[in-house]
Amino acid sequence: MKNVKIVVLGAGPAGMSAAWRLSQLGYPVTVLERDSAVGGMGKTIAVGKYAVDYGPHTFHIRETDESRAIHEAIKPFFGDDPLILTRGTRVLLRGKEYVYPLEMLQVLTGVSPLLSARIVFDYLVATLKSALAPAKKEHSFEEWGVRNLGRTLYDLCFGIYSARVWGLPTSQISSKQAQRVAKLNLKNIILRTLGVRADPATYFTKYMYPRKGISVLYESMAAAIRRAGNCILLESPVVRLERDGDRIARVVYKQHGREQTIDCDGVLSTLPLPSLVSMMTPELPPSVAQHASKLRYRSLKLIYIALARAQLTDYHWVYLLDEQYRVNRMSEQKNVSGDMVPPDRTILCIELSCWRDEPMWNASDEEIYRIALRDLLKMGYGVTEDEVEDYYVTDIPTAYPVYELNFEDHLIPVLEGVHAVPNLLTLGRHGLFLNNSMDDNVLLGMKVADHIAADGFNSQAWLSEMLAFMNLRFAGK
Ligand SMILES: Cc1cc2nc3c(=O)[nH]c(=O)nc-3n(C[C@H](O)[C@H](O)[C@H](O)COP(=O)(O)OP(=O)(O)OC[C@H]3O[C@@H](n4cnc5c(N)ncnc54)[C@H](O)[C@@H]3O)c2cc1C
């Protein structure tokens, strides 16, 4: 074993991948996790007699060298005979289903002729304006959308839905939020209409999935970490990072209500940045905490509804774009893996986003279920209340980093503030405030381990690498 003791904070995809790779490289590692299981948001939970993911979680396969390298490295962790799925997602728009990512021609032929004409007219005007006007940097998601898609298509397909998901008018959301849809430009629409796959990084069509749920992936990694002689402590929330001078010397966590301490040479954190900043003892400069308090997370309620029928749809999930819905998405676990749900039953997961300081967050499970049921009955799949056998409500407090306008003015000082601690590196969705997916976070876990092996805890070099990485993702690459 190498002589550098590393503590990893959080056992989600980023933390587990980092700990696994460091274990392979011979480092002594301890992972501290608040939850009673590994996987973070990528975990499988039991709901009555069903196994379901904590919100639908499939592992993306992109046609890029980076993605191929990740899959090659972690394929053994997917268990026997993993599923390779073809993306089966839809949107419900004006009462009709459309393939997602949206196909422009399908939308145009699906909506009323009048609406279709408005979409085309607005789109052409927007395209002309974009071509003629000097390239101006869009600031808000709305500006980006109207400029690239035209007002009608933008409102219909992105504006209404995004305002509900993020809980803000899209004029107050940064255009960086467009990272996921950034490829829906004229060039791509033409290429896709001609049947040419435009950008493999964005338009992936395949997923990989362990037959018994996404947890298998991270539990298998946990087994490899333990086989290497390293340690994962569950139900062990981190409470304090104690510094001697600049460097973190000890990590304090709670177990069975009592504080415990681990000495360390370096720390990798996947925790939400505001929590991380609040744990630092002595404190970081007050401006870092002030900026951290401006980084907001959107929370999710997950409502699982078990139905006394074999199947509701053929889809992995369906996005609900219309104004009439309060919930964002409905997914059906058995369509991802039939091994997780009995053949004669199905279970749905419905997602509803809210802020933690609004009454919805504290509403009773029954009230939340009623909202989800009301929307489910509206979806047009013929569900009746009599079919509901059971329901279960849980939540994800920090589901989505929210990109408010100019959020970087707060994010960058926070990232600089925490990386001023020379033996602390942050990564993952919360450690970077980056709305990314599991494959990205596995990549970051592997990258950080290789960075330490090559260069030790060089927090400034890691920060530069991460800022460059984030800029690529913000640009939709
Ligand atoms: C509803 C939903 C659906 C999604 N679907 C997909 C999908 O289909 N495919 C995909 O690739 N990605 C998906 N994602 C994104 C995916 O969940 C994230 O990319 C991934 O989980 C982030 O990994 P992470 O390790 O960075 O963070 P997390 O998974 O959030 O892990 C962080 C860990 O830190 C722990 N922690 C927090 N505070 C403390 C503390 N004080 N002490 C100790 N531990 C602590 C948490 O309990 C958690 O286990 C989805 C996200 C959501 C919200």
Side-chain angles (χ1 to χ4, degrees), residues 57-64 67-68 71 84-89 99-103 179-181 183 188 192 196-208 316-317 319 329 435-440 473 476-477:
H57 268 84
T58 51
F59 204 91
H60 306 161
I61 304 177
R62 299 174 210 265
E63 296 298 323
T64 60
S67 179
R68 274 187 279 276
H71 280 269
I84 304 292
L85 304 164
T86 299
R87 189 167 175 156
T89 48
V99 171
Y100 181 85
L102 285 164
E103 300 286 348
Q179 53 173 303
R180 289 183 180 198
V181 283
K183 299 296 168 193
N188 269 289
R192 277 157 56 72
V196 179
R197 202 170 38 209
D199 187 320
T202 312
Y203 284 132
F204 56 90
T205 55
K206 299 278 183 202
Y207 306 130
M208 194 156 168
H316 299 141
W317 54 79
Y319 296 101
R329 176 163 74 155
N435 259 317
N436 58 356
S437 49
M438 292 186 292
D439 52 329
D440 231 14
R473 292 299 182 261
K477 291 182 186 141

Side-chain angles (χ1 to χ4, degrees), residues 127-139 143 147-148:
T127 306
L128 203 65
K129 269 193 192 164
S130 303
L132 294 179
K136 168 179 163 281
K137 220 177 163 195
E138 294 89 11
H139 293 294
E143 280 171 284
R147 189 176 167 86
N148 281 276

Side-chain angles (χ1 to χ4, degrees), residues 12-14 33-34 40-41 56-58 238 428-430 436-438 441:
E33 169 56 50
R34 176 179 62 184
M41 293 193 290
H57 268 84
T58 51
V238 180
R429 180 153 164 134
H430 304 302
N436 58 356
S437 49
M438 292 186 292
N441 289 311

